[in-house]
Amino acid sequence: MTAFITSVGSIVTILLMMGLGFGLRGMGWFDDQFSGSISKLIMNVALPASIFMSVMKYLTLPKLIGLSSGLIYSFGGVIIGYIIAWITVKLLKVRPGRRGLFMNTVVNANTIFIGLPLNIALFGTKSLAYFLVYYVTNTVSTWAFGVFLIANDDPTKKADDKFTGRKINWKKLLPPPLLGFLVAIVWLVLGLPVPGWAGNTLSYVGNLVTPLSLIYIGIVLYDAGLKSIHFDRDTIFALIGRFVLSPLVITGLILLGAHTGHSLPTMEMQTLIVQAAAPGLAVMPILANEAHGDVKYATNLVTTSTILFIVVVPIVMTLIQFI
C-alpha cells in the first residue's frame, strides 16, 4: 500500500506539470513552434548535460562494469518482444501501414519525455545510471530496427521496393543524449576532473529536463486532441503488449537471472520494469507520415498509451514490491 501511495503521489506531481503545459497551450501562451523548440532544447542540450553529470555523480568504474548485466536483460526483453509482436501481427492479420507501428508500440517506449521524468519522480536521481541501461537499449532498438519496420510497412510500395534505398541514419542512432552518455563514460574511464564552473553550469541546464519534458507532453496531448481517442482491436492488443507483455517479459528474465545467481540491485530491477511499461514512442506519428502509414492510428497509440500510463504505473509499482 505504501508503494501505491508513493507512486500515486509522484503521478499527481507529473499530472499537474503535464496539465500546466496542456492548459497554457489551450490559453494560447505557446504557439505552434514552441513544442518543437522545447523538444530540441531537451534533446540536444538539457538531456546530454543531465546525463553527463549523472554519470559523473553516480557512477564509478566498478559500478559501470556491473551495469552490463542489465543490458543483457533489457536487450533480451526487446528481442523476445519483437518475436511475440511479429507473431501477433500475423495472427491478427494487422493491415499494412499499421504493422510496424504495432510492433514498435509493443517493444519500444517513450523513455525520454515520460520514462525519464517518471523514473526521477519515483526513484530519485540515483536511479539515472540504471535508467541509462534501458535508454541505450531502447535507442538502439528504435533507430536500428524499429524505424525500418515502419518504413518497410509502407502500403504504397511494392514488396520488392521496400528494402531499397534504406540506410542507417547514424545521427538518429547516436542522438545527443546517447553521445552525452558516451562522452561521460570516456571521461569516467580516463579519470578526468570536471571543473567546478562547468559542473555547475551543466547541472543547472540538466535540471531543466524534467519540468520541460512534462510541459512538452501536455502540449502534445492538447494538440493531439483528447476527443480523438478510441479503442479498436489493433489499438487494444498493442496497448496490452506495451503495458502487460513488455514488463512481464523483462520481469521473467530478471527472475530467471536471479534464480541462476545473477540478480540485479533492487533499484535497477525496478527501473527496468517501470521503463518497460512506459508509453509508446512520441515520434511514431512522424515516422508513420514519412512511410505513408496510418498516422491516425499512430497518434491514437501515442495518446492512449500516454494517458493510460497514469493508471498503469501505480499498479506496476505495487506489484514489483512482491518480486
Side-chain angles (χ1 to χ4, degrees):
M1 181 59 69
T2 301
F4 182 83
I5 294 174
T6 301
S7 58
V8 168
S10 299
I11 293 300
V12 169
T13 300
I14 292 174
L15 280 176
L16 290 175
M17 298 186 71
M18 288 171 57
L20 179 63
F22 187 95
L24 293 180
R25 173 59 169 155
M27 294 169 60
W29 283 34
F30 304 142
D31 58 24
D32 294 339
Q33 287 74 41
F34 182 78
S35 61
S37 299
I38 201 174
S39 174
K40 289 180 180 178
L41 175 60
I42 294 169
M43 286 292 293
N44 299 321
V45 181
L47 189 54
S50 176
I51 289 176
F52 180 87
M53 290 309 299
S54 296
V55 171
M56 292 294 101
K57 187 174 182 180
Y58 298 112
L59 276 186
T60 61
L61 282 178
K63 194 170 184 179
L64 177 63
I65 295 173
L67 290 177
S68 60
S69 59
L71 287 172
I72 297 175
Y73 294 116
S74 57
F75 271 108
V78 163
I79 293 171
I80 294 174
Y82 274 125
I83 294 173
I84 297 177
W86 180 81
I87 293 174
T88 305
V89 164
K90 294 297 183 181
L91 291 176
L92 296 179
K93 297 181 180 179
V94 178
R95 69 172 184 260
R98 286 189 171 191
R99 297 168 183 171
L101 297 169
F102 185 101
M103 288 187 279
N104 269 272
T105 300
V106 172
V107 178
N108 299 316
N110 189 347
T111 55
I112 295 299
F113 295 112
I114 293 183
L116 177 60
L118 174 65
N119 221 73
I120 294 175
L122 293 176
F123 308 119
T125 52
K126 290 184 179 180
S127 67
L128 276 175
Y130 303 128
F131 165 81
L132 291 171
V133 171
Y134 201 90
Y135 170 73
V136 170
T137 303
N138 195 74
T139 298
V140 173
S141 171
T142 300
W143 298 111
F145 190 65
V147 66
F148 291 97
L149 292 176
I150 296 175
N152 292 313
D153 190 37
D154 188 337
T156 66
K157 289 185 178 181
K158 296 180 180 179
D160 295 338
D161 298 332
K162 289 186 178 182
F163 291 92
T164 59
R166 301 300 302 179
K167 296 181 180 179
I168 294 177
N169 189 332
W170 292 105
K171 290 183 178 179
K172 290 184 176 180
L173 188 56
L174 293 173
L178 184 54
L179 289 176
F181 174 66
L182 295 176
V183 171
I185 295 301
V186 173
W187 213 271
L188 184 66
V189 171
L190 296 179
L192 299 176
V194 179
W197 57 268
N200 289 335
T201 302
L202 292 173
S203 295
Y204 283 128
V205 173
N207 288 337
L208 296 172
V209 171
T210 301
L212 289 183
S213 296
L214 294 172
I215 290 173
Y216 172 83
I217 296 169
I219 296 172
V220 170
L221 286 177
Y222 181 87
D223 290 340
L226 299 182
K227 293 182 179 179
S228 64
I229 296 175
H230 63 278
F231 294 91
D232 56 18
R233 186 201 62 172
D234 292 347
T235 299
I236 291 173
F237 275 94
L239 292 174
I240 291 174
R242 175 93 300 271
F243 291 131
V244 179
L245 174 65
S246 184
L248 277 180
V249 168
I250 198 164
T251 299
L253 292 175
I254 291 173
L255 291 177
L256 180 62
H259 184 71
T260 58
H262 298 86
S263 59
L264 295 177
T266 300
M267 185 175 290
E268 182 173 10
M269 174 196 69
Q270 293 177 339
T271 295
L272 293 180
I273 295 173
V274 169
Q275 290 302 315
L281 294 166
V283 297
M284 280 201 301
I286 299 173
L287 298 175
N289 183 63
E290 292 179 353
H292 306 101
D294 192 333
V295 178
K296 290 184 178 180
Y297 176 65
T299 303
N300 190 53
L301 286 174
V302 174
T303 305
T304 53
S305 63
T306 300
I307 293 174
L308 285 177
F309 100 100
I310 298 167
V311 178
V312 171
V313 172
I315 296 175
V316 172
M317 282 298 296
T318 301
L319 292 177
I320 60 178
Q321 304 303 315
F322 299 99
I323 300 177

